[in-house]
Amino acid sequence: MTTEVTDSKASGEEKIWVFPFDELDKLEETVKPDSWEDVRSLLGGKGANLALMTKLGVPVPPGFTVTTEACNAYMEYDRNFPPGMWEQEVAAMHRLEKQTGKKFGDVENPLLVSCRSGAKFSMPGMMDTVLNLGLTDETARRMAELTGDPRFVYDSYRRLVQMFGSVVMGVPDEPFEAIIEETKEARGVKDDTELTAEDWREITERFKNLIPSYTDAEFPQDPYTQLKMATRAVFNSWFGKRAMDYRNATGISHDLGTAVNIVTMVFGNMGENSGTGVAFTRNPVNGVKELYGDYLVNAQGEDVVAGIRNTKPISQLGEEMPEVYAQFLEVCDKLEQHFRDMQDVEFTIEQGKLWMLQTRNGKRTARAAIKIAVDMVGEGLITKEEALMRVEPEQVDMLLHPHFSGSIKAQATQDGRRLVEKAVNASPGAAVGYAVFDADTAERWASEGKPVIMVRPETKPDDVHGMIASQGILTSRGGATSHAAVVARQFGTPAVCGAEELLINIDQRLFMIQTETEPIEVREGDWISIDGGTGEVFLGQLDTQEPDFDKEVELNTLLIWADEVRKLGVRANADYPQDAERARRYGAAGIGLCRTEHMFFEESRLPIVQSMIMATSKSRRVAALDQLLPMQRSDFEGLFRAMDGYPVIIRLLDPPLHEFLPSHDQLVTDLADLKVRLQHYHTLSEIDSALAEVREKEDILERVEALAESNPMLGMRGDRLGLIMPEISAMQVRAILEAAVNVKREGVDVKPEIMIPLAGHVNELKVLRELVEEVAAEVFEEAGTTVDYQYGSMIEVPRAALTADEMAQEAEFFSFGTNDLTQTTFAMSRDDAEPKFLITYVEEGILPSNPFQHLDRKGVGKLVQMAVDLGRETRPDLECGICGEHGGDPDSIEFCHLAGLDYVSCSPFRVPIARLAAAQVTIKHGG
């Protein structure tokens, strides 16, 4: 199916811009979509599902959809409706009048409609909605007479004026809310439901008078003007800031457009037998198979979603309206069975009759996503492969986020630091950060590297940029299906909602709470901690702890399924035995990169390393290396034990030697300070001691200056160190092979692989291979036994990739160091590029993404593919893997699968992510 914009005049036939809900079969005959995804692309998710629910016999108010194509055409026509669209919308309204027996704008029997957005992919709260279109002064007055319920009528009318003024005419929300709060205070009431018909009538008049003070226009009294302006506003909201921020954060394309859904109004604010709510067919927090949601009696939908009133749990509906609740349960089961996924539904009850206003696949936490996917396999709803594709790799990462231990929380409670014992546990996880009170501050502080928790009475769609930037979200109003809860769950952000104890003062940038002993005031910039899994809030910074991976039963089940499917191996980058043990628990099948230099930075070893660097002769250097040998050997023994039966790739020393010495600037500063202090010493011992320290610092400074390079990244490092100072490489090779021999004697199946860094010419590999073989012969002769080992090369400079056929003559395996390969291919230093220009490149579209986060397939990827192909021409059994940070990135993992690599290697914490991502690309592309 094609969805490009076409001009009806040019094509010779009228373009169809509008489709009624009850003509899904006709749409399929006319448009001939290739799949249901094409229908969703055309009608948006909301419109498509409303049409489908109508077809399934679910009670849906009559309505129609203006397509996403119309939105895109609207943008092409400089924000003007495309030819024929408005006429079709008016015709659809006339058809709606016949279906309902009401007339749009009629005084005696008025038809009222809502105007709702609906993109292909769910974007909860990010675009605009207007309810009760068609109400005017005259229709409101007459409806009040005819219904005998003026309170319901003027409550509905004020909602229209408020939403229209805010969404369509650009009036801020706050002045409207201030009028309501003033009225409630004057009447001495707490809740909106306590205001009378006369109160709402007066509020409506004040709302209408407010609008001209912010705009050059008045609230329109013509219903079709209302409809046209509302349709235009929904189209415009596709490119609103909050929608753009949301799509940027979730990777949704900006060219999809939004549909407009015009739906006959049904009213949940018509008394105690009416209501409205939002529910999920399973618990979106933990995935348990139970109905989960909120509702309000005598309210309209935005009251629930906006969090303006604290809600009732959906189970209570069974007590208040048992017949409606039973029907609702049947509908929810029917929808979940049809879509084979957990559904997020919106409903309204109008004087005892149930109406369904929306269904969509529900946003859920990482834990819920994994449990629901695994459970649905057990229920026979989906296959294992479908379950694997249902879970995003990053959701696995979210599930393994830190949490607060029970003892930490108990101590904080004992210290009087628990501010909130139990609010709505809206999105799980532990968050610690500075309290901030608006989205702009949250975004700004986060960009400065400060962890923040955004505190609001309730969040609104305009807050989404701050929510994305925050470590956690805390609100004093709203329930489990409020805007804050839904958005937080989608982004894996811990959230506590409906903490009614908090008295939040946005103007003064603080909140207050009365604890058991005293009132506590928390100002902007104070530390707070929240537990989104329990709904608790604490004062100050609580320590977090890592989750217990072994106890995540559903996750481990899913990952076992992933291992059965994937073709790519998954290894870990690990430098210490404890890292290797964690990697093994997380499912790593080996170590793809051990960076030996990290071991040298340990406090007990660094002085020895520095003495080796300061040595003025080879004999002194060897003496220092002899001290390091047993330490390195012990490290490698731990790695081999942890990876019993799996390969361990150990990279020889890579960084330039000056990195192990103090910085030049620091040494100069220290020397200057020492010489100043020397002038104040009086005793001989003080002077001698200071002079000795000066000489030591001067010696180090001299060595630092001797080692200094204009471009250290391309200087004396990697294999060049091993060639110029072979004793360094010889010590490391001996430590590796002696460790392998020792551990083999313990019965461990040891598989060492020795890797040369930064090689760009086959002769470098040839010379170093001779060194390795010479040391190996010595070790094996001394031990009286041998171990099998492999010798390979990192491929991290373009020349190595271009001459991979020659490199493979010496190397038995290739490991692509994509961090340095990206730097050398782009001729950019990551440390310099990211703060100075790379982020701008991505934001302005000069580069499609940060090449250090997602592998550059067209450039760096082409070199990788070339090296794999050339290398295997020389050595068909050449093992190829990747060990840069890209090894844990799902997009880069897809490339590795397509390029024919054998494995990816990443941080131990990203091993579960890589296991799932590798399975998904196998399902997507085949073996």
Side-chain angles (χ1 to χ4, degrees), residues 267-489:
F267 297 96
N269 57 335
M270 293 189 73
E272 295 304 307
N273 64 346
S274 301
T276 186
V278 177
F280 296 82
T281 56
R282 302 196 186 210
N283 190 312
V285 176
N286 59 28
V288 171
K289 190 176 182 180
E290 62 183 7
L291 199 62
Y292 177 99
D294 304 299
Y295 77 101
L296 285 169
V297 171
N298 197 20
Q300 283 199 299
E302 75 271 16
D303 295 338
V304 176
V305 176
I308 294 170
R309 288 165 55 187
N310 286 338
T311 54
K312 300 178 181 181
I314 193 68
S315 58
Q316 199 170 322
L317 183 62
E319 302 170 11
E320 292 196 80
M321 304 181 198
E323 292 182 6
V324 172
Y325 186 66
Q327 183 189 4
F328 181 62
L329 289 177
E330 289 179 11
V331 169
C332 287
D333 183 64
K334 185 175 189 176
L335 292 174
E336 184 173 279
Q337 291 292 319
H338 178 84
F339 287 102
R340 300 185 310 125
D341 201 353
M342 183 260 281
Q343 294 299 290
D344 168 6
V345 299
E346 294 180 15
F347 65 94
T348 286
I349 303 160
E350 183 182 75
Q351 295 183 323
K353 179 172 175 56
L354 174 68
W355 294 98
M356 302 302 294
L357 305 181
Q358 175 169 276
T359 189
R360 59 190 174 191
N361 292 341
K363 304 297 182 187
R364 62 206 75 180
T365 66
R367 181 174 302 282
I370 292 166
K371 179 170 176 55
I372 290 169
V374 172
D375 285 354
M376 284 189 168
V377 172
E379 295 164 22
L381 278 178
I382 61 176
T383 65
K384 290 180 180 179
E385 288 74 16
E386 287 175 307
L388 289 167
M389 297 304 288
R390 290 271 178 96
V391 178
E392 295 293 330
E394 291 305 322
Q395 288 179 312
V396 175
D397 185 37
M398 293 175 190
L399 184 59
L400 299 177
H401 280 178
H403 62 275
F404 301 131
S405 69
S407 60
I408 288 290
K409 292 198 293 185
Q411 184 62 55
T413 302
Q414 184 177 333
D415 296 342
R417 292 195 288 140
R418 185 166 70 179
L419 303 180
V420 176
E421 180 178 357
K422 183 63 179 174
V424 177
N425 52 331
S427 183
V432 181
Y434 297 109
V436 298
F437 290 87
D438 69 87
D440 291 339
T441 303
E443 185 178 50
R444 186 175 69 256
W445 284 22
S447 70
E448 296 168 358
K450 298 177 182 177
V452 299
I453 293 177
M454 191 166 77
V455 183
R456 301 284 292 170
E458 71 274 335
T459 65
K460 299 177 181 178
D462 288 340
D463 294 324
V464 70
H465 59 294
M467 298 173 75
I468 292 169
S470 298
Q471 300 295 311
I473 298 163
L474 173 62
T475 71
S476 59
R477 297 199 287 261
T481 58
S482 64
H483 175 265
V486 171
V487 173
R489 285 195 291 270

Side-chain angles (χ1 to χ4, degrees), residues 174-192 195 200 203 206-207 308 458 477:
E174 289 76 13
F176 292 114
E177 292 296 333
I179 290 172
I180 296 175
E181 292 303 318
E182 286 172 16
T183 305
K184 287 194 292 187
E185 187 175 346
R187 299 292 184 270
V189 299
K190 178 182 178 183
D191 295 324
D192 293 0
L195 293 175
W200 286 125
I203 287 170
R206 292 182 66 184
F207 280 3
I308 294 170
E458 71 274 335
R477 297 199 287 261

Side-chain angles (χ1 to χ4, degrees), residues 23-96:
E23 291 191 353
L24 183 58
D25 289 337
K26 184 177 178 181
L27 178 151
E28 292 171 343
E29 292 173 8
T30 305
V31 179
K32 295 181 174 54
D34 295 327
S35 67
W36 180 247
E37 284 303 299
D38 287 339
V39 177
R40 285 170 49 83
S41 295
L42 182 66
L43 300 182
K46 184 177 295 180
N49 287 347
L50 284 168
L52 182 58
M53 284 196 293
T54 302
K55 184 176 179 179
L56 292 173
V58 172
V60 174
F64 59 86
T65 299
V66 184
T67 67
T68 58
E69 290 183 343
C71 176
N72 288 331
Y74 171 81
M75 295 300 172
E76 285 201 8
Y77 282 96
D78 295 325
R79 302 197 181 226
N80 291 300
F81 293 153
M85 191 213 87
W86 176 244
E87 290 77 9
Q88 291 181 31
E89 189 169 350
V90 171
M93 286 298 298
H94 293 329
R95 184 178 187 275
L96 207 55

Side-chain angles (χ1 to χ4, degrees), residues 672-682 686-687 690-691:
D673 290 344
L674 277 171
K675 290 175 181 178
V676 168
R677 279 190 277 134
L678 187 60
Q679 298 174 15
H680 300 285
Y681 292 145
H682 301 291
E686 287 177 329
I687 294 170
L691 286 172

Side-chain angles (χ1 to χ4, degrees), residues 676-725:
V676 168
R677 279 190 277 134
L678 187 60
Q679 298 174 15
H680 300 285
Y681 292 145
H682 301 291
T683 68
L684 188 60
S685 61
E686 287 177 329
I687 294 170
D688 286 345
S689 176
L691 286 172
E693 191 174 355
V694 167
R695 284 193 294 271
E696 181 185 359
K697 295 280 187 185
E698 287 176 339
D699 288 344
I700 296 174
L701 179 60
E702 183 180 351
R703 187 62 172 148
V704 167
E705 289 175 342
L707 292 171
E709 297 174 300
S710 299
N711 191 342
M713 192 188 84
L714 300 179
M716 181 71 162
R717 55 166 285 218
D719 64 332
R720 297 156 196 171
L721 272 175
L723 290 165
I724 302 303
M725 299 181 183

Side-chain angles (χ1 to χ4, degrees), residues 130-345:
V130 184
L131 304 180
N132 307 328
L133 290 169
L135 273 175
T136 63
D137 290 350
E138 281 300 306
T139 54
R141 181 186 59 77
R142 184 60 176 148
M143 275 183 68
E145 294 173 359
L146 292 171
T147 62
D149 190 354
R151 188 196 178 283
F152 150 69
V153 173
Y154 283 103
D155 180 26
S156 300
Y157 193 18
R158 70 90 186 175
R159 291 173 188 270
L160 168 62
V161 179
Q162 181 175 356
M163 296 180 80
F164 199 94
S166 174
V167 167
V168 180
M169 305 184 77
V171 180
D173 286 330
E174 289 76 13
F176 292 114
E177 292 296 333
I179 290 172
I180 296 175
E181 292 303 318
E182 286 172 16
T183 305
K184 287 194 292 187
E185 187 175 346
R187 299 292 184 270
V189 299
K190 178 182 178 183
D191 295 324
D192 293 0
T193 53
E194 298 176 89
L195 293 175
T196 66
E198 185 58 25
D199 291 332
W200 286 125
R201 191 190 65 75
E202 291 177 4
I203 287 170
T204 304
E205 288 301 313
R206 292 182 66 184
F207 280 3
K208 289 191 296 179
N209 293 333
L210 178 70
I211 290 174
S213 66
Y214 282 88
T215 70
D216 295 331
E218 296 185 346
F219 173 77
Q221 292 295 317
D222 173 59
Y224 277 99
T225 300
Q226 294 176 8
L227 181 63
K228 179 180 282 190
M229 292 176 68
T231 301
R232 189 183 300 276
V234 171
F235 281 162
N236 288 336
S237 71
W238 175 254
F239 283 104
K241 179 178 175 5
R242 66 184 188 236
M244 295 280 285
D245 287 341
Y246 185 90
R247 291 198 297 274
N248 287 333
T250 54
I252 297 174
S253 173
H254 293 300
D255 61 5
L256 296 176
T258 181
V260 174
N261 298 288
I262 306 300
V263 188
T264 301
M265 282 299 306
V266 289
F267 297 96
N269 57 335
M270 293 189 73
E272 295 304 307
N273 64 346
S274 301
T276 186
V278 177
F280 296 82
T281 56
R282 302 196 186 210
N283 190 312
V285 176
N286 59 28
V288 171
K289 190 176 182 180
E290 62 183 7
L291 199 62
Y292 177 99
D294 304 299
Y295 77 101
L296 285 169
V297 171
N298 197 20
Q300 283 199 299
E302 75 271 16
D303 295 338
V304 176
V305 176
I308 294 170
R309 288 165 55 187
N310 286 338
T311 54
K312 300 178 181 181
I314 193 68
S315 58
Q316 199 170 322
L317 183 62
E319 302 170 11
E320 292 196 80
M321 304 181 198
E323 292 182 6
V324 172
Y325 186 66
Q327 183 189 4
F328 181 62
L329 289 177
E330 289 179 11
V331 169
C332 287
D333 183 64
K334 185 175 189 176
L335 292 174
E336 184 173 279
Q337 291 292 319
H338 178 84
F339 287 102
R340 300 185 310 125
D341 201 353
M342 183 260 281
Q343 294 299 290
D344 168 6
V345 299

Side-chain angles (χ1 to χ4, degrees), residues 632-650:
Q632 286 250 281
R633 183 173 58 227
S634 176
D635 292 329
F636 299 146
E637 287 171 351
L639 292 176
F640 291 143
R641 290 189 189 103
M643 284 295 160
D644 184 4
Y646 289 121
V648 176
I649 297 179
I650 300 172

